[in-house]
Amino acid sequence: MKELNRKRILVTGGAGFLGSHLCERLVALGHDVLCVDNFYTGSKRNVAHLLDNANFELMRHDVTFPLYVEVDEIYNLACPASPVHYQHDPVQTTKTSVHGAINMLGLAKRVRAKLLQASTSEVYGDARRHPQTEDYWGHVNPIGPRSCYDEGKRCAETLCMDYMRQHGLDIRIARIFNTYGPRMHPRDGRVISNFVMQALAGEPLTVYGDGSQTRCFCYVDDLIDALVLLMSRATPPDGPVNIGNPQEISMLDTARRVIAAARSISEIAFAPLPVDDPCRRCPSIERARVLLGWSPHTSFDAGLNATIAYFQREIASADPGGLLVSTAAAAATTNRAETQVCKVSSS
Ligand code: NAD
Ligand code: UDP
Ligand code: UDP
């Protein structure tokens, strides 16, 4: 890459699921990448293959503390993303979103770097409008067990917009919808990792509630394409951009698709729905299409096959029995209502 185009790029949360794919992509594009992570949910293993590359550097650091480095671009991804993980230490989750954003925005301000904030579809909460467009303000419980994440990310968006208006920073906000693929943590409690691990173990797949709640699943490679496009746009878009795959699927159908893709003998078991679990979630990606010329192209079957192959390799390389007995424990730690069932409206 010509020196002129080569950038020094900071990726916070770079040792996590999405961050490790992003670091890999940016290094492949010829950039100089500084990966910062406190390994709360990520691991060195996710970036071990990059450590020999002269353009890659790994630093253990918690973004709730100031960071003084010289960079041209910042991708701020640091934050646990699985409900089980972010509810484990909710105060730390809010600190990571809010103090982390302040520190990264302060850094961006000092060195005049561009910053891309990894926001989330959770800013829409248990949405009352479908599909969700960026101008929808959401329906969020500010005091529930998911609030640390939802409100933390909403506050981070507020900070981004205020640093942009007040200090003239160049900010891009990606509202990321459910993403899956290789390097998801096998025990993170998210639905795709739970279902795949359960299917491979021949255990029942734990569908929460009656399984009518929906999500849209974006394959990680498609998501990374969008993040890089969003950052490389000449001018910042006027506000956040949804990034996700608009194909909506119920959790019951997701379980059936995973069982079929894994050629599993597993059955389906129903368990209580987590408190405040959004009933329906689906992105409108019109803005991403128009502003970035982007739309996802990986089919759910192709993405699932790649993810299943990854988990099979993980199981084969783990301690005997280590990974396959874990998903029930992960499932057990989410806050769940005993009787709640999603009422999916079609508006
Ligand atoms: P992940 O848990 O795999 O990665 C998060 C990374 O951040 C981990 O490596 C973790 O160790 C690190 N981290 C956490 N707290 C930190 C701190 N205080 N200081 C430094 N590092 C810290 O999750 P992910 O799925 O890769 O998500 C990455 C980002 O994308 C998050 O900001 C998340 O909110 C956002 N996001 C992800 C999804 C998704 O479906 N994967 C959806 C919406 C938004
Ligand atoms: N900060 C940082 N790295 C920098 C510059 C700032 O981590 O290179 C942090 C620092 O902790 C600071 C925060 O970013 O408190 C916000 O910075 P800003 O300049 O907006 O505000 P102030 O320094 O006045 O608090
Ligand atoms: N879910 C499920 N079984 C599981 C894990 C999750 O049915 O083992 C459901 C969960 O209740 C939610 C959806 O799958 O409706 C997506 O959950 P996930 O934790 O992956 O992400 P969320 O979109 O809720 O943040």
Side-chain angles (χ1 to χ4, degrees):
M1 180 182 262
K2 285 190 189 144
E3 278 304 311
L4 199 63
N5 298 328
R6 187 170 165 191
K7 303 208 168 60
R8 297 162 302 173
I9 304 180
L10 166 63
V11 180
T12 75
F17 162 47
L18 298 183
S20 61
H21 285 275
L22 179 61
C23 288
E24 194 173 85
R25 177 71 65 85
L26 295 172
V27 167
L29 288 171
H31 297 297
D32 225 338
V33 175
L34 172 60
C35 167
V36 160
D37 206 295
N38 68 350
F39 306 119
Y40 182 60
T41 52
S43 74
K44 285 184 199 160
R45 237 178 119 219
N46 284 339
V47 289
H49 59 297
L50 297 173
L51 289 174
D52 284 341
N53 193 307
N55 292 345
F56 181 79
E57 196 180 347
L58 176 61
M59 180 195 285
R60 180 193 286 267
H61 175 79
D62 184 326
V63 295
T64 62
F65 296 96
L67 176 67
Y68 288 84
V69 291
E70 309 305 311
V71 290
D72 305 303
E73 292 180 354
I74 302 166
Y75 287 85
N76 188 30
L77 270 62
C79 188
S82 151
V84 173
H85 287 164
Y86 68 65
Q87 290 175 31
H88 175 70
D89 185 349
V91 173
Q92 176 63 16
T93 299
T94 303
K95 284 183 185 170
T96 292
S97 281
V98 178
H99 291 180
I102 291 174
N103 286 330
M104 291 309 107
L105 288 160
L107 168 60
K109 182 181 135 205
R110 182 178 62 79
V111 300
R112 303 314 291 180
K114 282 203 269 186
L115 183 143
L116 184 148
Q117 169 67 14
S119 190
T120 169
S121 52
E122 284 285 318
V123 300
Y124 300 119
D126 192 3
R128 293 293 185 258
R129 191 197 287 177
H130 305 287
Q132 289 85 57
T133 46
E134 289 86 347
D135 59 357
Y136 177 52
W137 290 353
H139 182 250
V140 174
N141 176 356
I143 55 168
R146 295 176 85 100
S147 316
C148 57
Y149 185 72
D150 300 9
E151 296 289 18
K153 288 284 188 178
R154 284 166 70 98
C155 184
E157 285 199 8
T158 307
L159 286 160
C160 285
M161 296 306 290
D162 283 338
Y163 267 78
M164 186 153 83
R165 287 184 286 251
Q166 194 175 332
H167 298 300
L169 290 196
D170 181 334
I171 308 281
R172 289 111 203 275
I173 300 173
R175 286 189 180 153
I176 302 171
F177 283 64
N178 298 59
T179 304
Y180 71 103
R183 295 201 206 116
M184 286 188 92
H185 195 291
R187 294 178 193 166
D188 73 6
R190 286 187 261 195
V191 69
I192 297 291
S193 39
N194 270 8
F195 283 179
V196 170
M197 292 299 287
Q198 289 161 340
L200 293 176
E203 291 172 2
L205 273 63
T206 50
V207 169
Y208 299 161
D210 62 5
S212 63
Q213 73 272 29
T214 68
R215 294 293 186 272
C216 295
F217 296 108
C218 184
Y219 188 62
V220 61
D221 289 354
D222 291 335
L223 188 277
I224 300 299
D225 288 345
L227 295 187
V228 173
L229 280 169
L230 180 55
M231 183 64 111
S232 58
R233 229 183 93 87
T235 51
D238 181 18
V241 182
N242 287 341
I243 308 290
N245 188 322
Q247 270 210 328
E248 197 174 353
I249 181 169
S250 75
M251 292 311 99
L252 193 52
D253 284 343
T254 304
R256 293 183 181 127
R257 295 279 285 271
V258 171
I259 289 172
R263 296 182 176 78
S264 171
I265 54 158
S266 290
E267 297 185 342
I268 289 174
F270 292 91
L273 193 69
V275 174
D276 290 340
D277 198 278
C279 288
R280 208 174 152 194
R281 186 185 288 153
C282 178
S284 158
I285 58 164
E286 273 321 292
R287 255 170 81 73
R289 275 191 223 276
V290 172
L291 295 174
L292 312 177
W294 174 88
S295 58
H297 56 76
T298 309
S299 70
F300 193 39
D301 284 332
L304 265 186
N305 287 340
T307 309
I308 289 166
Y310 169 78
F311 281 120
Q312 280 171 326
R313 289 195 299 276
E314 284 296 283
I315 291 163
S317 66
D319 295 338
L323 285 176
L324 280 181
V325 290
S326 60
T327 51
T333 53
T334 322
N335 285 292
R336 284 200 262 120
E338 284 306 315
T339 52
Q340 197 181 343
V341 172
C342 259
K343 296 207 170 37
V344 180
S345 70
S346 58
S347 69

